[in-house]
Amino acid sequence: MVTLTDSIIEIKETLGKGRGVFASQDFFPCEVIERVPVLVIPQEQYPSLENTIFFHYLFGWKENDFALALGYGSLYNHSFRPNAIYRKREEEGMLEFIALHPILAGEEILINYNGEPSSEDPIWFRVVQ
């Protein structure tokens, strides 16, 4: 488990998914969980990442670019029934993770990788519930 002093979130191992982000405190709907900077990867550099571990941790970004979230941003697991959403702040070079529903301390914080909480579009791996 990885935690920071007085951290409101922590990283834990989660069955079948590897690491995940968990709440260390309760969150209310619309409350910001984490705000993280990103490293923007220009579209022309994307092909060189396809055979690396980074490929699986990227977010789509503006103008067909990609972004690697810092902080815990790239460690949130996927769910088709998420309890949080991510919001791109492209002009600031940031991502925000925001509670959609009440999240209790100890609960895993999950986002829909498709960007929209209700999207059931297929993703590139088998989903573990």
Side-chain angles (χ1 to χ4, degrees):
M1 171 179 10
V2 176
T3 60
L4 302 174
T5 305
D6 300 324
S7 182
I8 59 174
I9 55 178
E10 60 187 345
I11 303 300
K12 294 182 185 179
E13 290 294 320
T14 181
L15 188 61
K17 300 182 206 174
R19 294 180 295 174
V21 180
F22 288 77
S24 297
Q25 69 172 41
D26 295 347
F27 290 98
F28 296 103
C30 300
E31 187 173 356
V32 174
I33 298 165
E34 183 180 26
R35 184 176 159 86
V36 301
V38 301
L39 296 174
V40 177
I41 300 159
Q43 179 184 15
E44 59 271 11
Q45 293 180 16
Y46 179 76
S48 61
L49 293 175
E50 288 186 79
N51 293 319
T52 71
I53 190 76
F54 298 111
F55 176 78
H56 299 285
Y57 295 91
L58 300 177
F59 289 82
W61 208 249
K62 63 182 174 183
E63 301 172 15
N64 299 316
D65 291 338
F66 296 87
L68 179 66
L70 301 178
Y72 294 158
S74 288
L75 298 176
Y76 289 86
N77 283 318
H78 167 80
S79 176
F80 287 120
R81 291 180 301 282
N83 55 12
I85 188 170
Y86 65 91
R87 182 179 300 142
K88 298 176 190 177
R89 299 290 190 188
E90 293 173 339
E91 53 291 331
E92 300 170 44
M94 304 287 283
L95 277 174
E96 286 182 332
F97 295 86
I98 302 162
L100 285 171
H101 310 291
I103 300 173
L104 301 177
E107 188 176 348
E108 185 173 10
I109 302 168
L110 300 164
I111 59 173
N112 187 323
Y113 284 5
N114 291 319
E116 293 296 322
S118 61
S119 175
E120 294 191 13
D121 292 341
I123 56 173
W124 63 95
F125 59 87
R126 186 178 67 80
V127 177
V128 176
Q129 294 296 329

